[in-house]
Amino acid sequence: MTENQIANKIIGCALEVHKALGPGLLESAYQECLFYKLVKEGFTVEKQKPMPLVFQEIKLEVGYRIDILVENKVVIELKSVEILNDVHLAQTLTYMRLGGYKLGLLINFNVSLLKQGIKRVINGEL
């Protein structure tokens, strides 16, 4: 599957989770439910994937973690906040750049309609 095909399936799963749970929960609750749903759909999924920072010749394990990585291709950064801002976007782009991933989804579950809380993030050509 391509990154776009995977992303479309992820969005469908996220919509199901949001429809069942609604807004107002902690990010960790949405993460566990979306992880479960994606695994159930047959995807290879990693949650809280460590993301080291490489600076010159050293590899720094400084605690960066991708919320969810699907098929080793699509980064999912989850939020449950009043409003997404530039820092959230920068965080997603940083994880994508550090891992060499082309596509990310920044998803804020703390909205009435989930489609208003989803941002596709592209790093390079897709």
Side-chain angles (χ1 to χ4, degrees), residues 69-84:
L69 181 64
V70 181
E71 295 292 321
N72 204 35
K73 290 183 178 182
V74 180
V75 171
I76 305 174
E77 182 61 28
L78 299 176
K79 299 294 176 197
S80 183
V81 294
E82 287 294 319
I83 189 165
L84 290 174

Side-chain angles (χ1 to χ4, degrees), residues 4-19:
N4 283 321
Q5 291 170 324
I6 295 166
N8 288 336
K9 296 278 189 180
I10 292 167
I11 291 168
C13 290
L15 287 167
E16 286 185 46
V17 170
H18 189 265
K19 183 177 179 183

Side-chain angles (χ1 to χ4, degrees), residues 21-77:
L21 301 178
L25 301 176
L26 294 175
E27 178 184 312
S28 57
Y30 297 112
Q31 181 181 39
E32 289 300 320
C33 293
L34 183 57
F35 175 81
Y36 169 80
K37 185 68 181 156
L38 292 167
V39 168
K40 195 172 174 186
E41 291 291 317
F43 286 107
T44 301
V45 186
E46 295 177 76
K47 67 179 169 182
Q48 293 297 310
K49 179 178 173 50
M51 184 56 46
L53 174 65
V54 178
F55 176 73
Q56 295 180 350
E57 300 87 35
I58 61 171
K59 183 177 176 181
L60 304 168
E61 301 292 340
V62 290
Y64 293 119
R65 295 185 182 279
I66 294 173
D67 286 340
I68 299 177
L69 181 64
V70 181
E71 295 292 321
N72 204 35
K73 290 183 178 182
V74 180
V75 171
I76 305 174
E77 182 61 28

Side-chain angles (χ1 to χ4, degrees), residues 83-95:
I83 189 165
L84 290 174
N85 62 44
D86 292 343
V87 172
H88 301 129
L89 181 60
Q91 180 183 20
T92 307
L93 278 167
T94 297
Y95 292 151

